[in-house]
Amino acid sequence: MQGISYDLPQKKKDPNTKAPYQRVPYLALQWSLTLREKMNADDYNFNSRDEYAAALAEAATVMVDLASDEKVGKTDLPATAMGQFSEVDSKALETMLTSKKSEWYFATEYRIEKKKKSTPKKLLEEQEKAKQASTESSNKEKEKTNGTKEDDK
């Protein structure tokens, strides 16, 4: 989420001293500890790119919505001293989630391919058949609805 909802603290200046904030070891880990307290990862399927993207968007929002004086992770440092942005950089988030050249895209592609290879072929075929049946059922329902609307005219 670096560059989206926080950045390296030393890139920001303390408004009181006008000096850059100190470097924080394991900065991303500290932020992740706070996110674990504020979010429930079980609400998301990280094998689905869309749900994974939704989780990242929520994480970014949680991070910028923290009170600026709230302690982050196991540090005694407030969110502002941990590089917190005042708002989500939605352009950077969108670029990360939509660019096929982003590290996130490559990581999710790898995860999806690895999942496909580790899932038995028969199970994958059953899932595909169920998906097709659901789509066909949905299309038939739409046709019925459209036919009813035309009959009402």
Side-chain angles (χ1 to χ4, degrees):
M1 302 308 306
Q2 184 175 336
I4 295 170
S5 53
Y6 78 93
D7 210 342
L8 299 174
Q10 61 270 23
K11 289 186 176 182
K12 294 179 75 178
K13 292 187 178 188
D14 184 332
N16 299 325
T17 65
K18 306 294 183 212
Y21 286 109
Q22 65 184 7
R23 293 181 72 105
V24 178
Y26 306 107
L27 179 66
L29 172 66
Q30 299 303 331
W31 276 111
S32 72
L33 293 172
T34 297
L35 288 173
R36 285 175 183 251
E37 293 173 2
K38 308 283 183 185
M39 292 177 63
N40 184 4
D42 292 337
D43 292 344
Y44 299 97
N45 174 5
F46 292 99
N47 292 315
S48 162
R49 194 173 274 130
D50 290 339
E51 286 194 42
Y52 199 153
L56 291 174
E58 181 185 352
T61 302
V62 166
M63 292 170 83
V64 298
D65 286 348
L66 284 177
S68 60
D69 60 347
E70 187 171 341
K71 305 290 187 237
V72 174
K74 303 247 182 217
T75 69
D76 287 330
L77 299 172
T80 54
M82 296 290 282
Q84 177 191 42
F85 286 177
S86 58
E87 62 183 37
V88 175
D89 185 340
S90 55
K91 187 175 181 179
L93 178 63
E94 182 179 347
T95 299
M96 180 184 78
L97 297 177
T98 59
S99 172
K100 291 190 176 185
K101 294 182 179 182
S102 74
E103 290 176 8
W104 178 80
Y105 181 84
F106 286 124
T108 55
E109 191 66 20
Y110 173 80
R111 183 181 184 111
I112 291 166
E113 287 303 313
K114 188 171 183 179
K115 178 87 172 151
K116 283 180 187 176
K117 289 178 182 175
S118 67
T119 303
K121 186 175 180 179
K122 185 174 181 176
L123 181 59
L124 285 174
E125 290 170 354
E126 289 172 3
Q127 289 173 344
E128 187 61 33
K129 285 179 185 177
K131 186 188 270 186
Q132 288 175 348
S134 175
T135 302
E136 289 172 8
S137 174
S138 177
N139 289 340
K140 287 180 183 177
E141 193 63 37
K142 286 179 184 176
E143 289 174 10
K144 285 182 184 178
T145 304
N146 289 339
T148 306
K149 287 181 182 177
E150 289 177 13
D151 293 343
D152 291 343
K153 291 181 182 177

